[in-house]
Amino acid sequence: YAAHIGAVGQNSAVEYWFEAWDLAGNDGASPQRAPDELHVFDVAYAVDDLEGGVSGWTVGLPDDDAISGWWDLFDPVGTEAQPEDDATPGAGSLCFITGQCAPGEGSCTSSCQLSCNDVDGGRTILLTPVYGLDGAADVKVRYSRWFSADRGAVADDAWVVDASNDGGATWTNAVTSLESRAAWVDETVDVDGMSRSSREG
């Protein structure tokens, strides 16, 4: 089967679900809880799948003081604490993670033991490129995160997202979370209202 939708404006989100039934009375839906949960895709202003490298991204700031678990771009090695695959569909494999769990990467020296690249001793910062959004309304940023801070020795880390609308001169906190989830979670930040919604993916 195929379906066609009309033209959709840039910066829009298209939400949909599938439902089917047969003459015997069997029925089903995808997602299973539709219409309370929906599939969604974005007609975005900018999309970065990270496969082209770190162009425009800033990995670490001079005053970062973490002693392990620094941000870097990797094809992740799966463990109980980190994913085996990135979140985007298709042939790509790269994503930003706070230290690769593999010998010789970050603080892992011999094996992929838990906590070998836990963010410890301070903070590590990852900055997106600056996007020119002058005149844009209802600005939202969507990303996928895998935040696992409860599999190591100490569960004391927080997931923090700040946003700036003046090129980094000032910052507003958009997300602070202590919730660990060993799964990719799609998170949307409403930059105008600084509100947050998330769904597991």
Side-chain angles (χ1 to χ4, degrees):
Y1 294 92
H4 299 276
I5 61 174
V8 179
Q10 195 175 49
N11 302 328
S12 299
V14 176
E15 298 178 326
Y16 64 97
W17 80 91
F18 299 103
E19 189 170 0
W21 56 92
D22 62 22
L23 295 177
N26 301 300
D27 63 78
S30 176
Q32 289 185 345
R33 296 182 59 194
D36 295 327
E37 293 181 1
L38 302 171
H39 296 295
V40 62
F41 68 86
D42 297 306
V43 183
Y45 171 83
V47 176
D48 193 339
D49 63 6
L50 303 180
E51 297 303 322
V54 297
S55 178
W57 290 75
T58 301
V59 180
L61 296 179
D63 57 349
D64 283 4
D65 53 1
I67 61 174
S68 67
W70 311 286
W71 283 108
D72 212 336
L73 190 65
F74 287 112
D75 179 355
V77 175
T79 70
E80 184 182 345
Q82 76 181 36
E84 171 64 25
D85 298 305
D86 67 343
T88 53
S93 63
L94 300 179
C95 60
F96 280 108
I97 59 176
T98 52
Q100 177 71 297
C101 191
E105 303 285 0
S107 58
C108 290
T109 57
S110 60
S111 64
C112 282
Q113 69 273 22
L114 291 178
S115 297
C116 70
N117 266 310
D118 184 30
V119 177
D120 282 326
R123 71 175 193 178
T124 179
I125 300 294
L126 176 67
L127 295 176
T128 72
V130 175
Y131 298 107
L133 298 171
D134 290 343
D138 193 25
V139 176
K140 293 180 174 60
V141 175
R142 178 172 292 167
Y143 60 92
S144 299
R145 66 171 173 87
W146 179 301
F147 180 62
S148 176
D150 62 348
R151 306 301 170 101
V154 180
D156 58 353
D157 297 319
W159 175 260
V160 179
V161 177
D162 293 339
S164 173
N165 62 4
D166 54 15
T170 59
W171 295 89
T172 299
N173 180 248
V175 178
T176 296
S177 177
L178 295 172
E179 178 189 12
S180 288
R181 191 84 62 86
W184 285 111
V185 174
D186 294 336
E187 189 156 74
T188 301
V189 174
D190 183 345
V191 177
D192 297 321
M194 288 301 175
S195 65
R196 172 200 178 207
S197 66
S198 62
R199 61 181 177 83
E200 186 169 332

